[in-house]
Every structure is written in C-alpha cells, then in structure tokens.
Amino acid sequence: MLHLIKGRALGQSDDVEMIDGTAIQHLQPTQTYTYLEIAQRQSDNLNDVKTKLKQKYESIVKAVWSTELTAKNKCTATNMLSVPAVAYTFGAVRWNTDEIQELDRTTRSVMTERRSLHPRASIQRTYMSRASGGRGLINMEEHYRYKNSS
C-alpha cells in the first residue's frame, strides 16, 4: 500500500489490518506492484513499461507468423492476440504516433521475414478488410486514435 497526495508519497504508517486478520503492508521506497503489467509507482519510468509492451507485442507477432496456419488465420490471430496486448494500455500510457507506427512496422517486417508479405506490397491493402480485398489486419495507429477519441 502506498499513499500519494499530489504526486508525493506520504510517510509510512502502520500496516492496515483487515477484518479477517490479514494485513496490508506498505510498500518500501524501492518496491513496486504491477496492475495490468504496468508498474504502479509514482517514480517509475513509462519508457520501461513501453519497452516491455513492445517486446511482448513483437514476441506474440513472431509466434503467430511462425506457425503453419493459413494467412487468413494468422491475420485473425494477430488481431486477437497481439493487438489487445498493447491496446489495453492506450488509456493509461501516453504513446506518441511514432511509437504506434513502429508497432505497425514491426508487424509488417515480421510478415515479410516469414515470406507472407512482399516488401513492396501495398500498405493500405494490408489494413483493408478481407471483404474489400485486403488482409484484414488492425491498423494500430487508427485503433489508437479511435480509443483516445472516445
């Protein structure tokens, strides 16, 4: 437990005892706890959180595109597994446009490495719906704008 008022940590007091006898301990100055894989501490650097999320996103994308699924199923799996791994933080972590575009580039580069996308293929077609003749991938930049506009 950590008490913050106007961004500053208050002095530690005694541990809080619950009705059932368990105790909630105060965090030490060097301790943190994570909520939705984001370190919850006033002094934590958000760049570390973003780096971890980018690594997780890239590892999921690489795992999906290295399987022997069909291209349609790989696109669906990417949309279902890797996009939500980062998208849930859009309200809590401030991303800039370059970082979001980097996630899209990561996806396309992994697809190119796995020979599922030609290096000179149309980027717009990659994000068009399958009904319109595209691949059906979610564009992270548009997804970010949509999440932050509402």
Side-chain angles (χ1 to χ4, degrees):
M1 184 167 60
L2 176 69
H3 292 288
L4 295 175
I5 295 184
K6 295 184 180 180
R8 295 182 184 207
L10 296 178
Q12 291 186 356
S13 60
D14 296 334
D15 294 341
V16 177
E17 189 169 334
M18 305 298 289
I19 296 173
D20 62 354
T22 59
I24 300 176
Q25 299 176 348
H26 280 68
L27 289 177
Q28 300 300 320
T30 58
Q31 289 180 316
T32 62
Y33 74 96
T34 56
Y35 179 71
L36 296 176
E37 295 188 25
I38 298 174
Q40 301 291 318
R41 184 77 172 172
Q42 96 199 55
S43 62
D44 278 334
N45 190 357
L46 287 180
N47 290 331
D48 295 339
V49 173
K50 288 181 188 178
T51 303
K52 288 178 185 176
L53 288 170
K54 289 176 190 176
Q55 290 171 349
K56 181 178 180 181
Y57 179 83
E58 186 175 357
S59 68
I60 293 172
V61 169
K62 284 183 178 181
V64 167
W65 286 94
S66 64
T67 62
E68 294 187 19
L69 296 172
T70 62
K72 177 182 177 182
N73 290 336
K74 288 179 184 180
C75 290
T76 303
T78 301
N79 291 341
M80 290 175 59
L81 299 174
S82 64
V83 173
V86 175
Y88 77 89
T89 66
F90 286 167
V93 177
R94 189 165 301 197
W95 294 84
N96 62 31
T97 308
D98 293 337
E99 293 168 335
I100 298 296
Q101 289 173 349
E102 183 183 337
L103 294 175
D104 282 331
R105 276 192 300 274
T106 300
T107 304
R108 292 192 310 269
S109 66
V110 168
M111 290 171 66
T112 303
E113 288 171 7
R114 304 292 191 242
R115 305 183 64 80
S116 296
L117 183 69
H118 193 275
R120 293 188 182 178
S122 172
I123 294 173
Q124 291 84 8
R125 186 173 171 266
T126 306
Y127 300 113
M128 287 174 51
S129 68
R130 292 192 67 81
S132 300
R135 302 291 293 263
L137 283 176
I138 293 176
N139 187 338
M140 293 293 285
E141 187 176 1
E142 289 179 13
H143 192 62
Y144 178 73
R145 278 194 221 124
Y146 174 76
K147 287 283 191 177
N148 286 337
S149 67
S150 54

